[in-house]
Amino acid sequence: MLNKIEIDQKKANEGVWASLLESKFLIASVEGKKFKQAIFNLGSKPLSDDELIRIMSESILLDWQCVKDPNGHWLPYSKSLAIVALTTNDAVRKFVDSVSTDMSRYFKS
């Protein structure tokens, strides 16, 4: 029966919405084309933490809603702010990592 489970490539590439507290994040899978291509393009070069965060901001964390800065101001999504969030907020980084590697979120319906 497990051999019948298939990943929905549209979900894997374009992401699924997932909630963390009152915020929502659009998160693509590590099985998505952009992430796989970015890792492949590294070749044998070691993957630094900064490089991983850059790749995550470009290929995994695709959008967000209802995200505020520490002063309570709404933050629009941008890749540069995604890098800041992934770098400075351990809970967000762990959440994005957890969702992007949870294949059950990307199964075909």
Side-chain angles (χ1 to χ4, degrees), residues 18 27-28 30 56 60 91-106:
I27 302 170
V30 294
M56 289 174 72
I60 292 180
V92 168
R93 183 169 176 180
K94 286 180 181 178
F95 179 73
V96 170
D97 182 56
S98 174
V99 172
S100 70
T101 58
D102 178 1
M103 291 305 107
S104 67
R105 293 179 181 263
Y106 306 96

Side-chain angles (χ1 to χ4, degrees), residues 3 11 17 31 38 40 44 54 73-74 81 94 105:
N3 61 349
K11 287 181 184 177
W17 286 100
E31 291 297 319
F40 177 80
S44 60
R54 183 192 62 76
H73 300 107
W74 294 106
L81 286 176
K94 286 180 181 178
R105 293 179 181 263

Side-chain angles (χ1 to χ4, degrees), residues 17 32 39 44 47 49 65 70-71 74-76 80 91 95:
W17 286 100
I39 296 299
S44 60
L47 181 61
D49 197 50
Q65 298 174 348
N71 297 318
W74 294 106
L75 289 176
S80 60
F95 179 73

